[in-house]
Each structure stands twice: as structure tokens, then as C-alpha cells.
Amino acid sequence: MTAVEITAANELSAIDAATAYWANKDVAERTEFDHAAYPLWHGQSKMRQRLDRSDPTHLLVRGDGCWVEDIAGRRYLDARSGACNMALGYSRVDIVDAMAKQAAELPFSCVIRYDQPALTTVRYAAELVAAAPPGLTRVRFTHMGSASVENALHMSRLYHLNAGQPERTWIISLRYSFHGSTYLTLAASGDDFVEKVVPVPPPHLARTPVPAFADCPGCTGDPTKTGDCTAALRATVDGIGAGQVAAFIVEPMMEGPVQPMTRHFLESVRDLARKLGFLVIYDEVTTGFGRLGALFGATHFGVSPDILCSAKGITAGYAPLGAVLVAEHVYQAFDQETGIHFPNGSSSDGHPVSCAAASVALRAMYAENVFENARERGAQAVAGLREGLADNPAVGPIRGVGLLFGFELLQLDGAPSVYETTRRIQAACMELGVLVQHGGEYIVIYPPLVIDERETEILVDRVVRGIGSVTR
């Protein structure tokens, strides 16, 4: 054997040994992780902490409907939908079959180079635009949510450059918002931790306070109120200079603080943007594809942006895909004889296998009355949590729209830090067989959109008991 052949044989032997080490039967018998042998670096905390508070038997191996199962056979109601992306639940044979068919016929075609995208990708683009909020006429595909937002932010600046306004470079976001994990999207987010993990942020990013909805007559319907929900945004724009602002980016419902916008605020922002000349971007990576009880948050509130970013539920979680829907004037700004083209993209954007999954998922959402179910089950869950947690002083107001709801944990004298409390609540719920999301001081819940009435009852009961076991 040549040296190259010997190396290849040794590599294959190493691969076989790795496969054997992680065989289901052997893993199920281990009681703790071997830090030195664990190969995967994942999550957003230190690996030693993650491995120490778990064990190999908790590794997930299968899912069905709204439930997942670990290697030890324990079943969990997945009330975080994977990562808010398993919109239609697990084991969807229709989606899997469509992906397999596409993979057999044409597993790849590139949309950022050459002139021959896959027919499947073009057809899904047409389907998505047909269902999009009014005024959004074109779509550019990405491979994940952060890439969708990154595209939108870059696009907003280049849009103004092509319009002869290169000075419009500032992007404004809401405090406590979250827009992604790439360098630009993380820097554009509004949480305090951003300053720690992005010590040298890119320039021309500004944060504005979350609107004071409760003080606004238009948001509350109370004419005795005297506030203005756009006052903080106007002040931020004025401080920068209206002619310097490229875009304002907003989540129709902020996941972290579980804070929905209002129709009045979004309408007012749209009117302000038109008057002053900047673009409005909706970050619907989380809220898109049925999460709020309509295809998009823009659909739910009845107000369309100039640019809409999406991902997560677009394929119901079965394959990576993101989308950036744009209004015609945005598209046309990049399709003139003069001006710069839009250069951002990656090889796997608009992957045909992902688009095949997304097409089936989109039709299923309408055929199976998923949006109505999200509204009904969301209302059931919020009502149940409010009743079950009414006497718990550690639980703040429970808010939600559709199947995205949650609450803030309040600091009590002598209690552990809020972050530690929410982490313990997540662990307690897991022990009871339900998976929830915790983010800082918030517990956030977003089960698959196909959750039924009985499963919602189970969800509420276990969450109430899990919270009670930690906070009482």
C-alpha cells in the first residue's frame, strides 16, 4: 500500500471506531459524558457546564408529532418546537418524501452563480410570493435566519446607495431585540450581552427603547392616554439625522421579552418611514410561517414592511432555508442599468431539497387549518397558565400571540439570580416531560402549530408544576 492508501485506511478505521463509540446501545449505558471524548461544540454557554448538568441518556433519537424521545426512551412534549422551527411537528412523511424525490432528481443547483436555478426553487419562490403580505413581490433565498437578516441590513444600505443617498447608513433596532448570531446581526440586536460578545461593533447601529404601548391612545384604544408610541423612535432618528437613517428593523413580536407590537405602532412606523425616507424591515425569523396564527406577523397585524426576513418554520424544520421578501421598489433599485447589484449570498441558498420541503409545508399549513389551530391552542394555553400561576409572585404578566407566549420571572428577596431560576425551571419542566425555552429572565413557549387540545392541557399542567417546584 502507498502512504496515501495507508493514511486513508487509518482514517476509515478511526471513523469506524467513532461510530462504534456512539452506538445507541453503548451510549444508553453511560451515566456521564467523557469531556475529552465528546466531539461536538454546541450551544451558547460553556461546554463543561452543559455536559456536567446532562448525561448521554438525554441525547435525542426520534420524534413523532409534538413529541421527541431520548436514547433512554423518555418522551418529552416539545414546547420549543426544536428551536421554534418544527412548525408541523415530527415524522411528516409528506415532507420527507418530497425531499427524497428532489434529492434523487436534482440534489443541488446554485442560485448565486450561473443562470440555471432549479425549477423547484423558482416554483416555490412563486408560491411564497403569492402568499406573501401585500406589496412584497420578490424573494431572495438564504440558508438560515441570521443570513436573512444580514441580507436585509446590507440590502437597506445598498438600496440607498443606488438611490443616490450614500449617507443613509444608520440602522435602528429596538432595545432587547434579537436579530441573529452573525457579526452584523448580533451587533444590531438590542440585548445587553451584545456589548460583551461584540466588543468592537460595526459602525452606524443604534438602539431605541421599546415603545410605551400602555401610554398610547392609538395602541390602547383609550383616548385619555397622552403618550406617543413612536416618540422614542422619532427621538432616535432626530438624534442621528433623518437623512442618515437607512432602516428600522423590528420583530412583530419580540421573542426575548415576549412583547408583541401593536398595529397602531407598525402603521405609525410605516408612515414615519415613508415621510422621512428610510426602509422598514420586519425580522420574522421567529414569527413567520404561522407562529402568530397567520402566515406572517405582517399578515396578523395587517401592515407590510419594505423587507421581510424569515426562516425557521419555512420548511417546518426539515431542512435549512431562509427567505427575504422585498417590495418591488427595493428589487428594482438593484435591477437598473446603473448602480451596484446585490452581492450577498452563499452556495446553499435556495437549496432545491429545502425548497421542496418548504413547498409541501406551505400547502399543509393552509390545508390543515394550522393558523386557526395556533390561535385557538395559544388562547387555551395562555388562559391556563394565567389561571395556574395567578398566585405565584415570581411570575410576571403572561403575554402571547398565537403559539408564541411566555412571561418574565421576577426577582424575589433572597432568591437565586433570575437567570439561574429560569434555567432551573427549564430543567424542572424537562424532568416532568416538557421542553421549554429560557432566555435570561424569561420563559418562552412555542410548541408545534399542530399541538392539539389534550396536549395543550398537558403542556399547561407540567409547566405550572415545573415552575411551582422551583419558585415556591
Side-chain angles (χ1 to χ4, degrees), residues 141-162:
F141 289 122
T142 70
H143 61 286
M144 65 174 183
S146 295
S148 294
V149 178
E150 181 100 11
N151 270 244
L153 299 180
H154 194 185
M155 192 181 292
S156 70
R157 287 169 167 167
L158 292 182
Y159 168 85
H160 293 293
L161 178 64
N162 282 348

Side-chain angles (χ1 to χ4, degrees), residues 105-431:
E105 293 177 352
L106 182 68
F108 182 78
S109 179
C110 186
V111 298
I112 65 164
R113 299 176 182 173
Y114 324 124
D115 303 315
Q116 293 179 289
L119 174 60
T120 298
T121 301
V122 176
R123 184 167 55 235
Y124 176 62
E127 293 168 351
L128 183 55
V129 166
L136 300 179
T137 59
R138 313 279 180 156
V139 63
R140 189 175 181 94
F141 289 122
T142 70
H143 61 286
M144 65 174 183
S146 295
S148 294
V149 178
E150 181 100 11
N151 270 244
L153 299 180
H154 194 185
M155 192 181 292
S156 70
R157 287 169 167 167
L158 292 182
Y159 168 85
H160 293 293
L161 178 64
N162 282 348
Q165 297 179 304
E167 66 280 2
R168 285 190 177 272
T169 56
W170 281 84
I171 294 166
I172 303 172
S173 61
L174 288 181
R175 187 159 179 77
Y176 307 119
S177 61
F178 181 74
H179 296 297
S181 57
T182 63
Y183 181 59
L184 179 58
T185 59
L186 189 57
S189 300
D191 218 325
D192 291 336
F193 81 97
V194 169
E195 297 172 1
K196 298 178 181 179
V197 296
V198 188
V200 185
H204 293 190
L205 299 174
R207 301 175 188 170
T208 194
V210 176
F213 299 119
D215 298 329
C216 175
C219 294
T220 61
D222 183 350
T224 66
K225 302 289 186 178
T226 59
D228 177 0
C229 61
T230 62
L233 176 60
R234 291 173 188 272
T236 302
V237 171
D238 289 344
I240 296 168
Q244 309 291 314
V245 178
F248 171 60
I249 183 168
V250 62
E251 302 158 280
M253 181 167 178
M254 301 171 73
E255 177 187 346
V258 201
Q259 177 61 65
M261 301 297 109
T262 67
R263 176 170 182 160
H264 174 74
F265 173 70
L266 295 175
E267 288 177 333
S268 300
V269 166
R270 177 197 60 196
D271 294 344
L272 179 65
R274 288 177 177 174
K275 177 182 177 181
L276 299 181
F278 60 86
L279 299 178
V280 177
I281 302 169
Y282 285 3
D283 178 350
E284 295 226 37
V285 171
T286 295
T287 57
F289 294 94
R291 184 52 53 186
L292 302 188
L295 186 61
F296 291 106
T299 315
H300 170 78
F301 288 108
V303 187
S304 296
D306 300 291
I307 303 174
L308 187 153
C309 316
S310 64
K312 289 192 182 290
I314 188 171
T315 66
Y318 283 78
L321 187 66
V324 184
L325 287 153
V326 303
E328 188 68 14
H329 62 272
V330 176
Y331 171 80
Q332 290 296 337
F334 294 92
D335 199 37
Q336 303 301 311
E337 289 294 331
T338 60
I340 192 170
H341 65 285
F342 187 68
N344 205 347
S346 71
S347 302
S348 57
D349 290 352
H351 196 288
V353 175
S354 297
C355 288
S359 178
V360 174
L362 181 65
R363 290 183 176 278
M365 288 178 183
Y366 288 96
E368 299 172 20
N369 297 318
V370 165
F371 307 138
E372 180 181 4
N373 189 68
R375 295 191 294 269
E376 291 179 353
R377 300 286 73 78
Q380 176 191 350
V382 169
L385 289 172
R386 285 173 176 167
E387 179 181 356
L389 298 170
D391 298 328
N392 192 321
V395 175
I398 299 169
R399 296 188 291 264
V401 178
L403 281 171
L404 173 54
F405 49 91
F407 48 86
E408 182 180 12
L409 265 292
L410 306 178
Q411 183 70 51
L412 302 177
D413 291 343
S417 69
V418 169
Y419 178 85
E420 178 61 19
T421 301
T422 55
R423 191 197 64 75
R424 288 171 57 201
I425 287 172
Q426 183 185 51
C429 289
M430 181 176 173
E431 285 298 311

